[in-house]
Amino acid sequence: MRNIILSIALATAIAATAQPFQRPEPPRQTHQLRMGPVVMGIDAERGGKILSFKYKDQEIISQSRWPESFGSTFWTSPQKEWNWPPVQELDKGRYTVEHDSEGRLILSSGISEKLGFRVVKDISTSYSERSFIVRYSIVNESDQTRQVAPWEITRVNNENGLIFFDAPLDGITPSGLMAFKEDKGAVWYQTDEAPENRKVNADGKGWLAYMANGLLLVKQFEDLSPEQPAPGEAEVQVYVNRGKTYIELESQGAYTTLKPGERLSWTVRWYLLPVDATATPEELLQKVNMTK
């Protein structure tokens, strides 16, 4: 689907050569949560996205100005329920600020006309865990029983990044699409270029990590059994475009049945740590284990 969208965007740009070239303006950052040298920035006006995650002045989140290529967003799964583009009310619409205090922010989306869902994002800091806790809720505002799973999509900077998580190498599908290697009890992928956009699925063990430019991003979530994700989806997903200029780190929660008025909740803990850019896999896994 992204191949089609990118092709359309390129054709539109070529056709518009008579007009001055302007990239779309990035969403503005309206709220910040801070814990020591780590700062998370959230835009309530445009999708409640996490736009920035910094250690001091170093950024790990993609700041691209192209649509669907920046920040960290939240979708409902499976994708076949809405296809493409992402649902406006949940991905780009204005989120109402229900609570805003030092160390905690609660945002609520509008109700999706197509799906009947509302999303609530409860984001807080935990000094005891040294983490940012992002608690997502999906509320069934329709009059019908629905099935749905939570899905977090985080676009990160690609600085020859290293992606790793705990999963069997032969369980990554499609097999061989990305050059994952297995070592020290995890699978590792050094981002590379390819003639096509690529996406893989895996049954992880409740965490997903990314290291680039001396920063280590670790995300922790519920470990699912193989039958728990939504049909055609997976607990851990990685997407890299053909030029390795765009990366998505994705995780999903359990596929859940919601009666009218019911909600599911799903929590992702975010950690951002400085590391030696030449750290070995063993050293990086030690850092990951420190967050557990």
Side-chain angles (χ1 to χ4, degrees):
M1 176 60 67
R2 285 189 177 84
N3 289 337
I4 297 173
I5 298 297
L6 290 173
S7 296
I8 292 174
L10 179 59
T12 302
I14 293 172
T17 52
Q19 300 295 326
F21 175 77
Q22 290 183 336
R23 286 188 173 184
E25 286 298 317
R28 63 187 182 277
Q29 189 171 297
T30 57
H31 299 269
Q32 286 190 344
L33 296 180
R34 181 183 298 273
M35 187 167 56
V38 184
V39 180
M40 178 179 282
I42 302 102
D43 187 351
E45 295 296 319
R46 306 185 193 182
K49 289 183 177 69
I50 297 171
L51 290 186
S52 175
F53 199 40
K54 288 184 178 181
Y55 181 87
K56 295 183 178 179
D57 60 349
Q58 288 183 271
E59 177 67 70
I60 197 74
I61 298 291
S62 172
Q63 300 298 298
S64 169
R65 295 188 176 193
W66 292 109
E68 323 298 352
S69 65
F70 58 83
S72 182
T73 189
F74 181 82
W75 298 337
T76 59
S77 179
Q79 186 172 344
K80 67 179 182 180
E81 294 290 330
W82 47 267
N83 198 14
W84 195 263
V87 176
Q88 173 69 24
E89 297 90 344
L90 310 184
D91 181 70
K92 298 181 182 66
R94 179 178 178 271
Y95 275 59
T96 302
V97 178
E98 297 184 348
H99 179 87
D100 184 8
S101 64
E102 184 176 353
R104 190 178 186 193
L105 178 67
I106 303 177
L107 309 166
S108 181
S109 76
I111 300 172
S112 165
E113 183 177 346
K114 181 174 184 177
L115 300 177
F117 293 128
R118 178 169 60 91
V119 167
V120 178
K121 302 179 182 181
D122 185 338
I123 309 173
S124 60
T125 57
S126 173
Y127 277 85
S128 62
E129 297 181 13
R130 306 301 300 172
S131 69
F132 289 71
I133 302 174
V134 186
R135 185 172 184 261
Y136 299 101
S137 296
I138 300 175
V139 186
N140 183 2
E141 301 284 8
S142 75
D143 58 1
Q144 299 178 350
T145 297
R146 303 293 306 276
Q147 287 184 293
V148 67
W151 186 3
E152 185 184 71
I153 301 91
T154 302
R155 291 88 178 226
V156 293
N157 289 330
N158 184 17
E159 304 287 347
N160 292 317
L162 184 65
I163 300 169
F164 57 107
F165 50 89
D166 188 350
L169 186 60
D170 59 7
I172 299 175
T173 58
S175 177
L177 194 60
M178 295 182 188
F180 276 93
K181 298 179 180 179
E182 195 165 8
D183 190 22
K184 307 297 182 183
V187 287
W188 306 80
Y189 168 61
Q190 184 76 55
T191 56
D192 59 358
E193 295 188 20
E196 61 181 350
N197 300 330
R198 295 158 289 165
K199 181 172 182 176
V200 296
N201 297 333
D203 175 24
K205 297 298 180 184
W207 63 271
L208 175 60
Y210 178 72
M211 192 274 284
N213 267 358
L215 287 182
L216 174 63
L217 170 65
V218 182
K219 301 206 291 179
Q220 293 182 0
F221 37 84
E222 179 187 4
D223 181 18
L224 304 184
S225 57
E227 68 275 4
Q228 283 186 288
E233 304 289 349
E235 177 184 328
V236 170
Q237 300 174 313
V238 174
Y239 176 89
V240 180
N241 75 347
R242 63 173 68 90
K244 74 167 187 176
T245 57
Y246 174 73
I247 297 171
E248 288 180 351
L249 306 178
E250 308 178 19
S251 51
Q252 297 199 21
Y255 194 46
T256 304
T257 299
L258 297 180
K259 295 179 181 179
E262 289 186 336
R263 72 167 61 196
L264 67 80
S265 294
W266 180 64
T267 299
V268 183
R269 285 173 168 80
W270 289 49
Y271 301 82
L272 190 61
L273 310 169
V275 294
D276 187 333
T278 63
T280 65
E282 185 174 10
E283 291 169 336
L284 291 175
L285 284 175
Q286 288 176 353
K287 288 281 190 178
V288 171
N289 289 331
M290 288 171 56
T291 67
K292 297 180 180 179

